[in-house]
Amino acid sequence: MRHRKRGRRLGRSSSHRKAMFKNLASSLLLTERETDEFDENAAKVRGRVVTTLHKAKEVRPLMERCITIARKSLQSARDAEEFATTAERTSDEYRTWRKSDQWQKWAEARSPVVNARRRCQQLLGDKEAVTILFDTVAPRFEDRPGGYTRILRLTQPRLGDAGIQAILEFVGKNDRTSTKSVKPAFDTVDDTVEDEPVTDESVSDEVSDEVADETAPEDDGDGDEKKSE
């Protein structure tokens, strides 16, 4: 019995399983890299990978942990920029800054960022993926306390073994937005115009006008011609 044992074995050894999770998490981050039109390995949709449902459920906690570690180090990176320098590493200005107290303050403020990068490097095992994590993905979720990824189950099974497929993607970019139907706006009558009161005199005037119109002789258009003759 596997009481209180977390995770799925997925028919693999522990080393194989850990390497597979690292590669899958790194692949999700590498979809966010900048590519050109001639890159054959460019992702069709950024921030999304397709895998089996069980693998996606196991990789998601690893991806969430890495993003949380990177997100918490962003403030330390901004604090370190106050003591940083823009001089080149081979210049005399850089050597002077390297021996000054400003470098000591920069190194002290930068230490949480270095620690976070080393931790993510240990979890992911890919330097390029770690760079994308800290430069692109983490700033996007800085104000989000958690829930950076989602799993969408696909209806079509995998060809070959009919495995259940799913999409593992970052939230916020491919969100589905629902719009509510708007009720039609009808023309409203101006309430400021007051209706005139109906009296017996007004009704009799309207009736007399209608009778006069009916009894009036019709003009055939020949009267003017006869007079001219």
Side-chain angles (χ1 to χ4, degrees), residues 28-89:
L28 178 60
L29 292 170
L30 291 176
T31 58
E32 295 285 347
R33 63 182 177 181
E34 297 294 334
T35 57
D36 53 10
E37 57 182 353
F38 302 105
D39 190 358
E40 298 179 355
N41 296 326
K44 295 181 179 179
V45 180
R46 289 191 174 185
R48 173 185 292 182
V49 292
V50 179
T51 181
T52 61
L53 179 63
H54 305 293
K55 289 180 184 177
K57 289 182 178 181
E58 292 298 320
V59 175
R60 187 180 182 184
L62 174 61
M63 194 74 261
E64 300 272 344
R65 185 187 307 172
C66 293
I67 296 176
T68 301
I69 294 173
R71 184 177 62 85
K72 290 182 178 179
S73 66
L74 294 177
Q75 185 60 39
S76 299
R78 287 193 293 266
D79 296 340
E81 291 296 329
E82 182 180 355
F83 310 104
T85 182
T86 56
E88 297 181 359
R89 294 181 66 89

